[in-house]
């Protein structure tokens, strides 16, 4: 008798609803994506190189939560920024705390610096990587969940610290094969005195041209005029192009510091272009800022920046730290780098061996219908033997793919799947092989198949 309130009824109802189309199949969130196979290999390769470069410069890996109290970002990013106004993923949890998925990495690292009293143990050098979240319009090279790798240096104010951080970024991008296609743009936002003077000039200029600006930029004239200079709205471009540049308003300290940074880059043979209209989209930057841009059709026309950063000497105090702590860092978009990374720079993986169990050699041509039940003492002996062989090979650092059951597929289909894995050899294990103390090995490149004693496997495959 069917239990209409039990599992059987629920399972059947679910099946029927699927058939008539009432249940929508699971789908990803817009602006997110899954990664498989070669794409994930690219991600891992980029992160491995980035981490190794950071460690060459004596940076330590740090990991902070994806979730932070919203004030961590609201304090640092600027109330009138696009990120705060439109792009944060924020919500109130069951404890009435307002939380936000991190849109960038620096603010969380600074919060960790303060929370763990590391501002009294300087200098500190960190690198990090992981997912960030912004509710932007998805487009080529821009996702709502995206991966970043970044570095942060705290406790050094001398211009050489700026040079070293930029050198690390340059070394990283060259190491992954982008040296011939990237361009470094650099600018200085000056110190507080220089920026205050410049801000007043920009505000006056923008007010005279307010009728030519987009609605968002017009609103920012009073609150944060420098933010307008980072606008990507085409309507604002002519006004921004004719705006006075900050280089005219540096005080002697800011001018000298920027000259020192540029001279240091020249001494390291790092090519750069001074872009006096370069500003960063976050409010906490001062003095040196920079972007590495790559002209590549895979990124689209407006998404050329692959790595960017700058100095933020006042950020710790903005976030409630009692001491002024100089800082500088950068972040790279792993998604964008993976899109333009040349496959030739990705090391090939070690080719695996495949082990296939043949329960009955006479029936191997049609394993799907004529083999014995998979659970039997005779078959178990073969599978245990194959598992031991797999362990032996893996103990020798040989990647090994073990087919746990050929019960559902023909031998032809299994071999076809094995070829897709780029396996170099297939080892067949059957009753005849066990009786002789050997296996049958097939070289998939040369199409040669022959018997081999267990103890001679490594010599046969030339490991």
């Amino acid at each position: 008798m069917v239990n209409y309130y039990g599992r059987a009824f629920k399972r059947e109802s679910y099946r029927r609803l699927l058939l008539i189309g009432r249940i929508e199949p699971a789908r990803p969130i817009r602006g997110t994506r899954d990664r498989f196979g070669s794409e994930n290999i690219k991600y891992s390769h980029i992160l491995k190189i980035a981490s190794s470069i950071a460690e060459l410069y004596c940076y330590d890996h740090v990991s902070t939560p994806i979730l932070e109290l919203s004030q961590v970002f609201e304090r640092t990013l600027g109330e009138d920024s696009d990120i705060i106004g439109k792009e944060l993923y924020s919500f109130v949890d069951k404890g009435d705390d307002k939380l936000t998925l991190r849109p960038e990495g620096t603010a969380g690292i600074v919060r960790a610096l303060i929370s763990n009293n590391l501002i009294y143990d300087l200098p500190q050098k960190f690198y990090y990587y992981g997912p960030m979240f912004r509710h932007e319009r998805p487009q080529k090279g821009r996702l709502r969940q995206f991966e970043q790798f970044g570095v942060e240096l705290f406790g050094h104010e001398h211009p050489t610290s700026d040079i070293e951080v930029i050198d690390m970024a340059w070394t990283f991008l060259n190491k992954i094969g982008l040296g011939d296609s990237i361009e470094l743009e650099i600018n200085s936002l000056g110190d507080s005195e220089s920026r205050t003077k410049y801000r007043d000039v920009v505000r006056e200029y923008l007010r005279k041209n307010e009728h030519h600006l987009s609605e968002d930029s017009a609103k920012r004239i009073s609150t944060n005029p420098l933010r307008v200079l980072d606008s990507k709205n085409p309507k604002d471009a002519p006004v921004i192009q004719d705006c006075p540049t900050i280089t005219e308003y540096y005080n002697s300290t800011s001018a000298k510091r920027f000259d020192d940074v540029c001279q240091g880059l020249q001494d390291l043979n790092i090519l750069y272009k001074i872009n006096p209209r370069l500003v960063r989209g976050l409010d906490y930057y001062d003095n040196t800022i920079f972007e590495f841009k790559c002209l590549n059709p895979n990124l689209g026309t407006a998404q050329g920046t692959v790595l960017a950063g700058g100095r933020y000497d006042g950020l710790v105090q903005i976030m409630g730290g009692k001491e002024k702590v100089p800082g500088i860092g950068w972040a790279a978009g792993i998604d964008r780098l993976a899109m333009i990374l040349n496959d030739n720079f990705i090391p090939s993986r070690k080719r695996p061996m495949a082990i296939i169990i043949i329960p009955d050699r006479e029936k191997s041509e049609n394993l799907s219908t004529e083999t014995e039940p998979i659970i039997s003492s005779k078959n178990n002996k073969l599978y245990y033997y194959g598992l031991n062989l797999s362990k032996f090979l893996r103990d020798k650092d040989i990647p090994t793919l073990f087919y746990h059951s050929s019960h559902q597929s023909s031998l032809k289909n299994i071999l076809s799947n094995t070829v897709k894995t780029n396996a170099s050899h297939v080892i067949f294990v059957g009753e005849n092989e066990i009786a002789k103390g050997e296996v049958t090995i097939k070289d998939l490149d040369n199409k040669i198949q022959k018997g081999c004693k267990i103890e001679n496997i490594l010599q046969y495959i030339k490991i």
Side-chain angles (χ1 to χ4, degrees), residues 32-191:
T32 65
R33 59 199 303 266
D34 305 306
R35 293 196 306 268
F36 300 96
S38 61
E39 189 177 5
N40 251 343
I41 294 173
K42 281 188 175 183
Y43 272 68
S44 298
H45 180 61
I46 293 170
L47 289 175
K48 182 179 179 180
I49 289 180
S51 300
S52 66
I53 295 296
E55 289 172 5
L56 279 177
Y57 287 74
C58 299
Y59 281 62
D60 295 321
H61 181 216
V62 64
S63 180
T64 61
I66 291 174
L67 273 176
E68 296 274 6
L69 292 171
S70 296
Q71 64 182 15
V72 168
F73 306 109
E74 292 170 352
R75 282 184 186 179
T76 59
L77 302 182
E79 292 183 2
D80 64 337
S81 69
D82 284 338
I83 297 177
I84 294 296
K86 305 174 183 177
E87 298 173 2
L88 289 185
Y89 280 96
S90 298
F91 62 95
V92 177
D93 72 359
K94 294 180 180 179
D96 288 331
D97 289 321
K98 187 180 179 184
L99 306 180
T100 295
L101 289 169
R102 63 185 182 196
E104 56 96 30
T106 301
I109 303 296
V110 172
R111 193 272 310 148
L113 193 79
I114 297 171
S115 301
N116 294 279
N117 292 317
L118 296 177
I119 59 175
Y120 305 110
D121 185 21
L122 298 173
Q124 294 288 340
K125 306 169 82 172
F126 297 124
Y127 74 88
Y128 64 91
Y129 50 82
M132 311 292 164
F133 305 84
R134 295 184 191 178
H135 193 276
E136 300 181 284
R137 183 172 65 86
Q139 53 186 294
K140 198 170 190 178
R142 190 181 292 274
L143 298 170
R144 291 179 175 176
Q145 177 178 324
F146 54 98
E147 304 284 334
Q148 281 191 345
F149 179 95
V151 302
E152 314 290 353
L153 168 61
F154 300 99
H156 287 301
E157 195 170 7
H158 196 275
T160 53
S161 60
D162 303 31
I163 299 163
E164 185 183 60
V165 165
I166 294 173
D167 174 56
M168 190 196 322
W170 179 266
T171 302
F172 161 57
L173 293 174
N174 274 271
K175 190 74 172 179
I176 61 174
L178 299 181
D180 294 333
S181 59
I182 56 172
E183 181 178 66
L184 169 61
E185 293 188 358
I186 187 170
N187 192 22
S188 172
L189 297 177
D191 59 14

